[in-house]
Amino acid sequence: MPTKRRTRSTRSTENIQNIKHNNRTVRNTTKRKTRSQSRKKTQTSIDFTQLRIETLLEIKEHYKITSKTKNRKTLASLILRKFTEQVINEKEIIREFLQITKDY
């Protein structure tokens, strides 16, 4: 029995379906990456809004954050920004920690 010959319209329909499938795959992959990044972000950040206003004011004073506001949310966002801007040399900190524990 002869095979059914594919017409031009059939080929174009198949191509369109393949393109749609590929686009969906790319979109899903992109969404997965963004979700994992947001999960990672929420795991590493601290919710300073849960702290009492007195504690936030002490942290503000200790780190010399310049602001006249006493609003809890504003203070929490300023403190969070301060902590995220800090550059940390992990190797140096671990080395110092081990040195201190060794001496102790």
mmCIF file of all heavy atoms in Angstrom, residues 59-103:
data_model
loop_
_atom_site.group_PDB
_atom_site.id
_atom_site.type_symbol
_atom_site.label_atom_id
_atom_site.label_comp_id
_atom_site.label_asym_id
_atom_site.label_seq_id
_atom_site.Cartn_x
_atom_site.Cartn_y
_atom_site.Cartn_z
ATOM 1 N N ILE A 59 19.820 48.359 66.344
ATOM 2 C CA ILE A 59 20.590 47.929 65.167
ATOM 3 C C ILE A 59 20.960 49.143 64.321
ATOM 4 O O ILE A 59 22.098 49.273 63.858
ATOM 5 C CB ILE A 59 19.787 46.905 64.328
ATOM 6 C CG1 ILE A 59 19.607 45.601 65.097
ATOM 7 C CG2 ILE A 59 20.475 46.639 62.995
ATOM 8 C CD1 ILE A 59 18.651 44.623 64.446
ATOM 9 N N LYS A 60 19.993 50.044 64.172
ATOM 10 C CA LYS A 60 20.239 51.269 63.395
ATOM 11 C C LYS A 60 21.372 52.081 64.019
ATOM 12 O O LYS A 60 22.273 52.559 63.335
ATOM 13 C CB LYS A 60 18.962 52.106 63.342
ATOM 14 C CG LYS A 60 19.118 53.419 62.647
ATOM 15 C CD LYS A 60 17.856 54.255 62.811
ATOM 16 C CE LYS A 60 18.286 55.682 62.909
ATOM 17 N NZ LYS A 60 17.369 56.536 63.557
ATOM 18 N N GLU A 61 21.356 52.200 65.327
ATOM 19 C CA GLU A 61 22.389 52.961 66.028
ATOM 20 C C GLU A 61 23.750 52.261 65.937
ATOM 21 O O GLU A 61 24.769 52.900 65.712
ATOM 22 C CB GLU A 61 21.990 53.126 67.493
ATOM 23 C CG GLU A 61 22.896 54.031 68.279
ATOM 24 C CD GLU A 61 22.391 54.212 69.705
ATOM 25 O OE1 GLU A 61 21.178 54.386 69.882
ATOM 26 O OE2 GLU A 61 23.230 54.159 70.619
ATOM 27 N N HIS A 62 23.741 50.941 66.093
ATOM 28 C CA HIS A 62 24.998 50.186 66.071
ATOM 29 C C HIS A 62 25.697 50.283 64.704
ATOM 30 O O HIS A 62 26.907 50.452 64.631
ATOM 31 C CB HIS A 62 24.748 48.721 66.414
ATOM 32 C CG HIS A 62 25.982 47.883 66.351
ATOM 33 N ND1 HIS A 62 26.938 47.922 67.333
ATOM 34 C CD2 HIS A 62 26.431 47.016 65.404
ATOM 35 C CE1 HIS A 62 27.923 47.096 67.008
ATOM 36 N NE2 HIS A 62 27.642 46.528 65.842
ATOM 37 N N TYR A 63 24.919 50.165 63.635
ATOM 38 C CA TYR A 63 25.498 50.207 62.287
ATOM 39 C C TYR A 63 25.554 51.622 61.705
ATOM 40 O O TYR A 63 25.872 51.801 60.545
ATOM 41 C CB TYR A 63 24.732 49.270 61.350
ATOM 42 C CG TYR A 63 25.059 47.829 61.629
ATOM 43 C CD1 TYR A 63 24.202 47.042 62.381
ATOM 44 C CD2 TYR A 63 26.234 47.268 61.164
ATOM 45 C CE1 TYR A 63 24.496 45.722 62.647
ATOM 46 C CE2 TYR A 63 26.541 45.945 61.426
ATOM 47 C CZ TYR A 63 25.672 45.178 62.174
ATOM 48 O OH TYR A 63 25.978 43.871 62.444
ATOM 49 N N LYS A 64 25.213 52.600 62.531
ATOM 50 C CA LYS A 64 25.271 54.015 62.139
ATOM 51 C C LYS A 64 24.494 54.291 60.848
ATOM 52 O O LYS A 64 24.986 54.919 59.918
ATOM 53 C CB LYS A 64 26.725 54.463 61.997
ATOM 54 C CG LYS A 64 27.489 54.366 63.293
ATOM 55 C CD LYS A 64 28.928 54.777 63.127
ATOM 56 C CE LYS A 64 29.627 54.684 64.450
ATOM 57 N NZ LYS A 64 30.450 53.531 64.610
ATOM 58 N N ILE A 65 23.267 53.821 60.811
ATOM 59 C CA ILE A 65 22.378 54.065 59.677
ATOM 60 C C ILE A 65 21.722 55.417 59.899
ATOM 61 O O ILE A 65 21.097 55.652 60.935
ATOM 62 C CB ILE A 65 21.318 52.957 59.549
ATOM 63 C CG1 ILE A 65 22.009 51.613 59.314
ATOM 64 C CG2 ILE A 65 20.334 53.263 58.436
ATOM 65 C CD1 ILE A 65 21.080 50.427 59.366
ATOM 66 N N THR A 66 21.887 56.306 58.931
ATOM 67 C CA THR A 66 21.352 57.660 59.095
ATOM 68 C C THR A 66 19.914 57.712 58.588
ATOM 69 O O THR A 66 19.648 57.549 57.403
ATOM 70 C CB THR A 66 22.204 58.682 58.326
ATOM 71 O OG1 THR A 66 22.277 58.278 56.961
ATOM 72 C CG2 THR A 66 23.593 58.768 58.911
ATOM 73 N N SER A 67 19.015 57.915 59.519
ATOM 74 C CA SER A 67 17.604 58.062 59.188
ATOM 75 C C SER A 67 16.886 58.598 60.417
ATOM 76 O O SER A 67 17.194 58.219 61.548
ATOM 77 C CB SER A 67 17.011 56.710 58.786
ATOM 78 O OG SER A 67 15.630 56.846 58.625
ATOM 79 N N LYS A 68 15.940 59.491 60.201
ATOM 80 C CA LYS A 68 15.207 60.074 61.327
ATOM 81 C C LYS A 68 13.878 59.358 61.576
ATOM 82 O O LYS A 68 13.189 59.658 62.527
ATOM 83 C CB LYS A 68 14.954 61.555 61.070
ATOM 84 C CG LYS A 68 16.234 62.361 61.077
ATOM 85 C CD LYS A 68 15.951 63.827 60.886
ATOM 86 C CE LYS A 68 17.254 64.612 60.905
ATOM 87 N NZ LYS A 68 17.042 66.038 60.751
ATOM 88 N N THR A 69 13.546 58.415 60.707
ATOM 89 C CA THR A 69 12.255 57.752 60.814
ATOM 90 C C THR A 69 12.231 56.754 61.969
ATOM 91 O O THR A 69 13.253 56.190 62.338
ATOM 92 C CB THR A 69 11.891 57.033 59.499
ATOM 93 O OG1 THR A 69 10.593 56.487 59.635
ATOM 94 C CG2 THR A 69 12.851 55.916 59.177
ATOM 95 N N LYS A 70 11.051 56.567 62.535
ATOM 96 C CA LYS A 70 10.856 55.559 63.568
ATOM 97 C C LYS A 70 9.765 54.576 63.136
ATOM 98 O O LYS A 70 9.207 53.873 63.958
ATOM 99 C CB LYS A 70 10.498 56.218 64.892
ATOM 100 C CG LYS A 70 11.654 56.992 65.488
ATOM 101 C CD LYS A 70 11.366 57.442 66.875
ATOM 102 C CE LYS A 70 12.593 58.165 67.435
ATOM 103 N NZ LYS A 70 12.388 58.582 68.812
ATOM 104 N N ASN A 71 9.512 54.535 61.833
ATOM 105 C CA ASN A 71 8.545 53.598 61.275
ATOM 106 C C ASN A 71 9.208 52.226 61.158
ATOM 107 O O ASN A 71 10.304 52.091 60.631
ATOM 108 C CB ASN A 71 8.096 54.104 59.890
ATOM 109 C CG ASN A 71 7.049 53.231 59.267
ATOM 110 O OD1 ASN A 71 6.705 52.181 59.792
ATOM 111 N ND2 ASN A 71 6.541 53.679 58.140
ATOM 112 N N ARG A 72 8.537 51.192 61.656
ATOM 113 C CA ARG A 72 9.115 49.853 61.689
ATOM 114 C C ARG A 72 9.447 49.338 60.290
ATOM 115 O O ARG A 72 10.541 48.810 60.060
ATOM 116 C CB ARG A 72 8.157 48.885 62.365
ATOM 117 C CG ARG A 72 8.734 47.476 62.424
ATOM 118 C CD ARG A 72 7.722 46.477 62.858
ATOM 119 N NE ARG A 72 7.183 46.861 64.149
ATOM 120 C CZ ARG A 72 6.804 46.008 65.071
ATOM 121 N NH1 ARG A 72 6.890 44.750 64.846
ATOM 122 N NH2 ARG A 72 6.321 46.431 66.206
ATOM 123 N N LYS A 73 8.530 49.474 59.341
ATOM 124 C CA LYS A 73 8.774 48.948 57.994
ATOM 125 C C LYS A 73 9.931 49.668 57.310
ATOM 126 O O LYS A 73 10.754 49.054 56.641
ATOM 127 C CB LYS A 73 7.512 49.049 57.145
ATOM 128 C CG LYS A 73 6.443 48.076 57.550
ATOM 129 C CD LYS A 73 5.255 48.125 56.627
ATOM 130 C CE LYS A 73 4.221 47.101 57.049
ATOM 131 N NZ LYS A 73 3.053 47.100 56.179
ATOM 132 N N THR A 74 9.995 50.970 57.489
ATOM 133 C CA THR A 74 11.082 51.744 56.877
ATOM 134 C C THR A 74 12.421 51.354 57.490
ATOM 135 O O THR A 74 13.403 51.146 56.772
ATOM 136 C CB THR A 74 10.837 53.247 57.058
ATOM 137 O OG1 THR A 74 9.518 53.570 56.629
ATOM 138 C CG2 THR A 74 11.832 54.057 56.267
ATOM 139 N N LEU A 75 12.460 51.241 58.802
ATOM 140 C CA LEU A 75 13.693 50.830 59.476
ATOM 141 C C LEU A 75 14.120 49.430 59.035
ATOM 142 O O LEU A 75 15.301 49.182 58.774
ATOM 143 C CB LEU A 75 13.510 50.852 60.992
ATOM 144 C CG LEU A 75 13.609 52.211 61.666
ATOM 145 C CD1 LEU A 75 13.260 52.085 63.136
ATOM 146 C CD2 LEU A 75 14.991 52.792 61.499
ATOM 147 N N ALA A 76 13.152 48.533 58.941
ATOM 148 C CA ALA A 76 13.464 47.162 58.531
ATOM 149 C C ALA A 76 14.051 47.137 57.124
ATOM 150 O O ALA A 76 15.026 46.429 56.860
ATOM 151 C CB ALA A 76 12.207 46.299 58.590
ATOM 152 N N SER A 77 13.501 47.926 56.218
ATOM 153 C CA SER A 77 14.031 47.942 54.850
ATOM 154 C C SER A 77 15.426 48.573 54.796
ATOM 155 O O SER A 77 16.292 48.118 54.047
ATOM 156 C CB SER A 77 13.079 48.663 53.899
ATOM 157 O OG SER A 77 12.990 50.026 54.225
ATOM 158 N N LEU A 78 15.662 49.611 55.607
ATOM 159 C CA LEU A 78 16.995 50.224 55.657
ATOM 160 C C LEU A 78 18.041 49.253 56.207
ATOM 161 O O LEU A 78 19.153 49.148 55.681
ATOM 162 C CB LEU A 78 16.965 51.485 56.528
ATOM 163 C CG LEU A 78 16.231 52.700 55.955
ATOM 164 C CD1 LEU A 78 16.097 53.777 57.021
ATOM 165 C CD2 LEU A 78 16.959 53.236 54.743
ATOM 166 N N ILE A 79 17.678 48.526 57.244
ATOM 167 C CA ILE A 79 18.600 47.565 57.844
ATOM 168 C C ILE A 79 18.873 46.413 56.885
ATOM 169 O O ILE A 79 20.013 45.976 56.727
ATOM 170 C CB ILE A 79 18.047 47.069 59.193
ATOM 171 C CG1 ILE A 79 18.053 48.223 60.198
ATOM 172 C CG2 ILE A 79 18.845 45.886 59.718
ATOM 173 C CD1 ILE A 79 17.293 47.942 61.462
ATOM 174 N N LEU A 80 17.829 45.931 56.235
ATOM 175 C CA LEU A 80 18.007 44.854 55.256
ATOM 176 C C LEU A 80 18.932 45.295 54.127
ATOM 177 O O LEU A 80 19.820 44.547 53.709
ATOM 178 C CB LEU A 80 16.658 44.415 54.692
ATOM 179 C CG LEU A 80 16.702 43.288 53.671
ATOM 180 C CD1 LEU A 80 17.261 42.019 54.299
ATOM 181 C CD2 LEU A 80 15.321 43.034 53.107
ATOM 182 N N ARG A 81 18.760 46.523 53.658
ATOM 183 C CA ARG A 81 19.633 47.052 52.607
ATOM 184 C C ARG A 81 21.081 47.107 53.081
ATOM 185 O O ARG A 81 22.004 46.743 52.370
ATOM 186 C CB ARG A 81 19.176 48.435 52.163
ATOM 187 C CG ARG A 81 19.945 48.925 50.945
ATOM 188 C CD ARG A 81 19.538 50.284 50.456
ATOM 189 N NE ARG A 81 18.108 50.501 50.458
ATOM 190 C CZ ARG A 81 17.517 51.653 50.815
ATOM 191 N NH1 ARG A 81 18.262 52.681 51.183
ATOM 192 N NH2 ARG A 81 16.229 51.785 50.795
ATOM 193 N N LYS A 82 21.275 47.528 54.334
ATOM 194 C CA LYS A 82 22.623 47.602 54.915
ATOM 195 C C LYS A 82 23.273 46.214 54.941
ATOM 196 O O LYS A 82 24.431 46.046 54.572
ATOM 197 C CB LYS A 82 22.541 48.187 56.328
ATOM 198 C CG LYS A 82 23.821 48.195 57.092
ATOM 199 C CD LYS A 82 24.787 49.210 56.551
ATOM 200 C CE LYS A 82 26.019 49.294 57.422
ATOM 201 N NZ LYS A 82 26.978 50.241 56.904
ATOM 202 N N PHE A 83 22.504 45.202 55.368
ATOM 203 C CA PHE A 83 23.048 43.856 55.445
ATOM 204 C C PHE A 83 23.334 43.272 54.064
ATOM 205 O O PHE A 83 24.312 42.548 53.892
ATOM 206 C CB PHE A 83 22.093 42.938 56.211
ATOM 207 C CG PHE A 83 22.289 43.004 57.692
ATOM 208 C CD1 PHE A 83 21.605 43.940 58.446
ATOM 209 C CD2 PHE A 83 23.155 42.149 58.328
ATOM 210 C CE1 PHE A 83 21.783 44.011 59.811
ATOM 211 C CE2 PHE A 83 23.348 42.209 59.698
ATOM 212 C CZ PHE A 83 22.659 43.144 60.447
ATOM 213 N N THR A 84 22.507 43.565 53.094
ATOM 214 C CA THR A 84 22.725 43.007 51.756
ATOM 215 C C THR A 84 23.868 43.710 51.024
ATOM 216 O O THR A 84 24.470 43.124 50.132
ATOM 217 C CB THR A 84 21.456 43.075 50.892
ATOM 218 O OG1 THR A 84 20.980 44.415 50.859
ATOM 219 C CG2 THR A 84 20.382 42.155 51.425
ATOM 220 N N GLU A 85 24.179 44.940 51.397
ATOM 221 C CA GLU A 85 25.270 45.678 50.746
ATOM 222 C C GLU A 85 26.640 45.281 51.281
ATOM 223 O O GLU A 85 27.647 45.561 50.642
ATOM 224 C CB GLU A 85 25.077 47.187 50.925
ATOM 225 C CG GLU A 85 23.957 47.753 50.102
ATOM 226 C CD GLU A 85 23.702 49.224 50.388
ATOM 227 O OE1 GLU A 85 24.309 49.771 51.340
ATOM 228 O OE2 GLU A 85 22.894 49.818 49.672
ATOM 229 N N GLN A 86 26.692 44.643 52.432
ATOM 230 C CA GLN A 86 27.981 44.286 53.023
ATOM 231 C C GLN A 86 28.678 43.223 52.182
ATOM 232 O O GLN A 86 28.068 42.257 51.738
ATOM 233 C CB GLN A 86 27.794 43.753 54.438
ATOM 234 C CG GLN A 86 27.431 44.815 55.427
ATOM 235 C CD GLN A 86 27.301 44.252 56.827
ATOM 236 O OE1 GLN A 86 27.238 43.061 57.030
ATOM 237 N NE2 GLN A 86 27.278 45.142 57.808
ATOM 238 N N VAL A 87 29.980 43.421 51.992
ATOM 239 C CA VAL A 87 30.795 42.460 51.267
ATOM 240 C C VAL A 87 31.504 41.592 52.292
ATOM 241 O O VAL A 87 32.143 42.107 53.216
ATOM 242 C CB VAL A 87 31.818 43.181 50.363
ATOM 243 C CG1 VAL A 87 32.682 42.185 49.634
ATOM 244 C CG2 VAL A 87 31.099 44.104 49.390
ATOM 245 N N ILE A 88 31.372 40.280 52.122
ATOM 246 C CA ILE A 88 31.932 39.361 53.104
ATOM 247 C C ILE A 88 32.948 38.452 52.425
ATOM 248 O O ILE A 88 32.658 37.843 51.396
ATOM 249 C CB ILE A 88 30.815 38.507 53.739
ATOM 250 C CG1 ILE A 88 29.826 39.414 54.448
ATOM 251 C CG2 ILE A 88 31.382 37.470 54.683
ATOM 252 C CD1 ILE A 88 28.591 38.710 54.919
ATOM 253 N N ASN A 89 34.124 38.367 53.015
ATOM 254 C CA ASN A 89 35.152 37.448 52.548
ATOM 255 C C ASN A 89 35.039 36.182 53.397
ATOM 256 O O ASN A 89 35.538 36.121 54.524
ATOM 257 C CB ASN A 89 36.539 38.081 52.684
ATOM 258 C CG ASN A 89 37.619 37.195 52.121
ATOM 259 O OD1 ASN A 89 37.377 36.044 51.762
ATOM 260 N ND2 ASN A 89 38.824 37.734 52.043
ATOM 261 N N GLU A 90 34.352 35.173 52.868
ATOM 262 C CA GLU A 90 34.046 33.979 53.650
ATOM 263 C C GLU A 90 35.301 33.233 54.091
ATOM 264 O O GLU A 90 35.382 32.741 55.211
ATOM 265 C CB GLU A 90 33.127 33.062 52.844
ATOM 266 C CG GLU A 90 31.764 33.663 52.605
ATOM 267 C CD GLU A 90 30.916 32.808 51.693
ATOM 268 O OE1 GLU A 90 31.411 31.791 51.183
ATOM 269 O OE2 GLU A 90 29.749 33.175 51.499
ATOM 270 N N LYS A 91 36.282 33.131 53.221
ATOM 271 C CA LYS A 91 37.516 32.410 53.565
ATOM 272 C C LYS A 91 38.221 33.067 54.751
ATOM 273 O O LYS A 91 38.705 32.389 55.657
ATOM 274 C CB LYS A 91 38.454 32.355 52.362
ATOM 275 C CG LYS A 91 37.961 31.450 51.272
ATOM 276 C CD LYS A 91 38.934 31.413 50.113
ATOM 277 C CE LYS A 91 38.405 30.521 49.006
ATOM 278 N NZ LYS A 91 39.293 30.480 47.856
ATOM 279 N N GLU A 92 38.258 34.384 54.740
ATOM 280 C CA GLU A 92 38.903 35.121 55.828
ATOM 281 C C GLU A 92 38.157 34.911 57.145
ATOM 282 O O GLU A 92 38.773 34.692 58.202
ATOM 283 C CB GLU A 92 38.966 36.611 55.481
ATOM 284 C CG GLU A 92 39.666 37.466 56.496
ATOM 285 C CD GLU A 92 41.159 37.188 56.560
ATOM 286 O OE1 GLU A 92 41.723 36.676 55.579
ATOM 287 O OE2 GLU A 92 41.759 37.491 57.605
ATOM 288 N N ILE A 93 36.847 34.941 57.099
ATOM 289 C CA ILE A 93 36.037 34.760 58.304
ATOM 290 C C ILE A 93 36.215 33.355 58.861
ATOM 291 O O ILE A 93 36.389 33.165 60.071
ATOM 292 C CB ILE A 93 34.552 35.063 58.014
ATOM 293 C CG1 ILE A 93 34.382 36.555 57.756
ATOM 294 C CG2 ILE A 93 33.668 34.605 59.167
ATOM 295 C CD1 ILE A 93 33.020 36.939 57.293
ATOM 296 N N ILE A 94 36.211 32.357 57.995
ATOM 297 C CA ILE A 94 36.388 30.974 58.439
ATOM 298 C C ILE A 94 37.780 30.787 59.034
ATOM 299 O O ILE A 94 37.945 30.141 60.077
ATOM 300 C CB ILE A 94 36.136 29.996 57.276
ATOM 301 C CG1 ILE A 94 34.650 30.023 56.896
ATOM 302 C CG2 ILE A 94 36.573 28.583 57.651
ATOM 303 C CD1 ILE A 94 34.323 29.276 55.633
ATOM 304 N N ARG A 95 38.788 31.382 58.402
ATOM 305 C CA ARG A 95 40.149 31.284 58.903
ATOM 306 C C ARG A 95 40.250 31.902 60.301
ATOM 307 O O ARG A 95 40.818 31.305 61.219
ATOM 308 C CB ARG A 95 41.126 31.974 57.956
ATOM 309 C CG ARG A 95 42.594 31.757 58.331
ATOM 310 C CD ARG A 95 43.532 32.568 57.480
ATOM 311 N NE ARG A 95 43.354 34.014 57.614
ATOM 312 C CZ ARG A 95 43.750 34.720 58.679
ATOM 313 N NH1 ARG A 95 44.332 34.141 59.680
ATOM 314 N NH2 ARG A 95 43.538 36.016 58.717
ATOM 315 N N GLU A 96 39.674 33.078 60.477
ATOM 316 C CA GLU A 96 39.704 33.732 61.783
ATOM 317 C C GLU A 96 38.936 32.929 62.831
ATOM 318 O O GLU A 96 39.378 32.800 63.975
ATOM 319 C CB GLU A 96 39.125 35.143 61.682
ATOM 320 C CG GLU A 96 40.033 36.115 60.960
ATOM 321 C CD GLU A 96 39.413 37.488 60.806
ATOM 322 O OE1 GLU A 96 38.352 37.750 61.433
ATOM 323 O OE2 GLU A 96 39.980 38.310 60.074
ATOM 324 N N PHE A 97 37.801 32.383 62.439
ATOM 325 C CA PHE A 97 37.005 31.569 63.362
ATOM 326 C C PHE A 97 37.798 30.348 63.826
ATOM 327 O O PHE A 97 37.843 30.036 65.011
ATOM 328 C CB PHE A 97 35.701 31.137 62.691
ATOM 329 C CG PHE A 97 34.890 30.196 63.516
ATOM 330 C CD1 PHE A 97 34.160 30.651 64.601
ATOM 331 C CD2 PHE A 97 34.866 28.842 63.211
ATOM 332 C CE1 PHE A 97 33.413 29.787 65.366
ATOM 333 C CE2 PHE A 97 34.122 27.962 63.980
ATOM 334 C CZ PHE A 97 33.395 28.431 65.058
ATOM 335 N N LEU A 98 38.438 29.665 62.885
ATOM 336 C CA LEU A 98 39.233 28.487 63.239
ATOM 337 C C LEU A 98 40.412 28.869 64.126
ATOM 338 O O LEU A 98 40.764 28.131 65.053
ATOM 339 C CB LEU A 98 39.707 27.776 61.971
ATOM 340 C CG LEU A 98 38.611 27.099 61.151
ATOM 341 C CD1 LEU A 98 39.180 26.554 59.855
ATOM 342 C CD2 LEU A 98 37.922 26.001 61.945
ATOM 343 N N GLN A 99 41.016 30.005 63.865
ATOM 344 C CA GLN A 99 42.140 30.471 64.678
ATOM 345 C C GLN A 99 41.684 30.749 66.111
ATOM 346 O O GLN A 99 42.342 30.357 67.071
ATOM 347 C CB GLN A 99 42.759 31.738 64.063
ATOM 348 C CG GLN A 99 44.002 32.213 64.768
ATOM 349 C CD GLN A 99 45.145 31.223 64.647
ATOM 350 O OE1 GLN A 99 45.322 30.612 63.600
ATOM 351 N NE2 GLN A 99 45.909 31.064 65.709
ATOM 352 N N ILE A 100 40.532 31.385 66.254
ATOM 353 C CA ILE A 100 39.998 31.697 67.577
ATOM 354 C C ILE A 100 39.650 30.421 68.325
ATOM 355 O O ILE A 100 39.958 30.264 69.505
ATOM 356 C CB ILE A 100 38.782 32.633 67.479
ATOM 357 C CG1 ILE A 100 39.238 34.015 67.008
ATOM 358 C CG2 ILE A 100 38.049 32.736 68.804
ATOM 359 C CD1 ILE A 100 38.100 34.945 66.642
ATOM 360 N N THR A 101 38.998 29.484 67.648
ATOM 361 C CA THR A 101 38.619 28.227 68.313
ATOM 362 C C THR A 101 39.851 27.395 68.670
ATOM 363 O O THR A 101 39.851 26.701 69.682
ATOM 364 C CB THR A 101 37.666 27.392 67.439
ATOM 365 O OG1 THR A 101 38.260 27.154 66.170
ATOM 366 C CG2 THR A 101 36.328 28.083 67.283
ATOM 367 N N LYS A 102 40.875 27.474 67.857
ATOM 368 C CA LYS A 102 42.123 26.761 68.139
ATOM 369 C C LYS A 102 42.788 27.324 69.389
ATOM 370 O O LYS A 102 43.284 26.587 70.237
ATOM 371 C CB LYS A 102 43.047 26.870 66.947
ATOM 372 C CG LYS A 102 44.356 26.151 67.101
ATOM 373 C CD LYS A 102 45.200 26.358 65.849
ATOM 374 C CE LYS A 102 46.626 25.948 66.111
ATOM 375 N NZ LYS A 102 47.494 26.305 64.991
ATOM 376 N N ASP A 103 42.810 28.645 69.497
ATOM 377 C CA ASP A 103 43.410 29.293 70.658
ATOM 378 C C ASP A 103 42.606 29.092 71.923
ATOM 379 O O ASP A 103 43.151 29.124 73.027
ATOM 380 C CB ASP A 103 43.591 30.802 70.392
ATOM 381 C CG ASP A 103 44.603 31.064 69.299
ATOM 382 O OD1 ASP A 103 45.405 30.148 68.987
ATOM 383 O OD2 ASP A 103 44.596 32.182 68.743
#
